[in-house]
Amino acid sequence: MTDTSDLTITQPSDREITMTRTFDAPRELVFAAHTQAEHLKRWWGRGNPLDTEIDFREGGRYRHVEHAPDGSDYAFRGEFREIVVPERVVQTFESEGMPGHVAVETLVFTEHDGRTVVTTTTSFDTAQDRDGMVESGMAQGVAESYAALDRHLATLR
């Protein structure tokens, strides 16, 4: 188990990663921040400049391109498989830098006393894919992105 700031990361099986983080905002707002381009641009990708295309519907697709300060671009894409507003999203996730390694992410949004817990379980095809994601610096990247989301949510209250 890894605890990066307020982010808790576990590996419940050899092909899964679960991340849990609580936000001081209502569920509808946190859900919108995860599913609408105008919000995603402000926090996804660690808060770096982001180009995003999103067709938020079952069968729809998304693509994000993060522009890092060193001039590098990192592109990610996926497809929405299941959407239950504002409770759950199931989507695929693929780094364009590692084509063919497609993970399935399930995001669950739960509200308690005006605060929202986001639990993301990512399933990989192989243990090697899961381990590669862990070794890529994923924990730090997600922690930085969620810190940027905290800052964005604070501007909306």
Side-chain angles (χ1 to χ4, degrees):
M1 180 163 99
T2 303
D3 187 357
T4 305
S5 176
D6 296 329
L7 176 68
T8 302
I9 300 173
T10 60
Q11 297 176 20
S13 78
D14 67 349
R15 295 185 330 154
E16 291 179 307
I17 297 171
T18 297
M19 299 178 288
T20 304
R21 176 71 150 69
T22 301
F23 297 92
D24 189 18
R27 177 168 70 171
E28 288 76 11
L29 186 56
V30 176
F31 187 89
H34 279 79
T35 60
Q36 297 174 8
E38 62 266 24
H39 294 298
L40 287 162
K41 288 179 181 183
R42 306 211 185 285
W43 69 270
W44 205 93
R46 301 172 289 175
N48 290 326
L50 185 77
D51 296 327
T52 189
E53 301 168 14
I54 186 167
D55 178 10
F56 188 63
R57 61 179 175 83
E58 290 183 9
R61 298 181 181 276
Y62 70 89
R63 183 172 187 261
H64 307 305
V65 180
E66 174 191 357
H67 305 287
D70 68 2
S72 300
D73 290 338
Y74 302 97
F76 305 90
R77 64 181 172 218
E79 179 179 314
F80 298 104
R81 293 186 171 178
E82 178 186 341
I83 298 170
V84 180
V85 178
E87 301 170 10
R88 176 180 162 98
V89 175
V90 179
Q91 63 190 23
T92 61
F93 177 87
E94 179 180 16
S95 168
E96 291 183 6
M98 296 278 299
H101 297 271
V102 180
V104 177
E105 298 178 329
T106 301
L107 292 83
V108 176
F109 301 81
T110 309
E111 186 173 339
H112 300 286
D113 299 324
R115 294 172 53 89
T116 302
V117 177
V118 178
T119 303
T120 304
T121 301
T122 305
S123 300
F124 299 87
D125 287 337
T126 67
Q128 293 80 13
D129 281 355
R130 188 220 45 197
D131 293 347
M133 181 66 78
V134 170
E135 293 164 7
S136 74
M138 171 214 62
Q140 185 66 32
V142 171
E144 290 172 4
S145 291
Y146 276 166
L149 177 55
D150 272 333
R151 292 188 298 273
H152 177 61
L153 291 168
T155 69
L156 301 173
R157 288 188 289 254

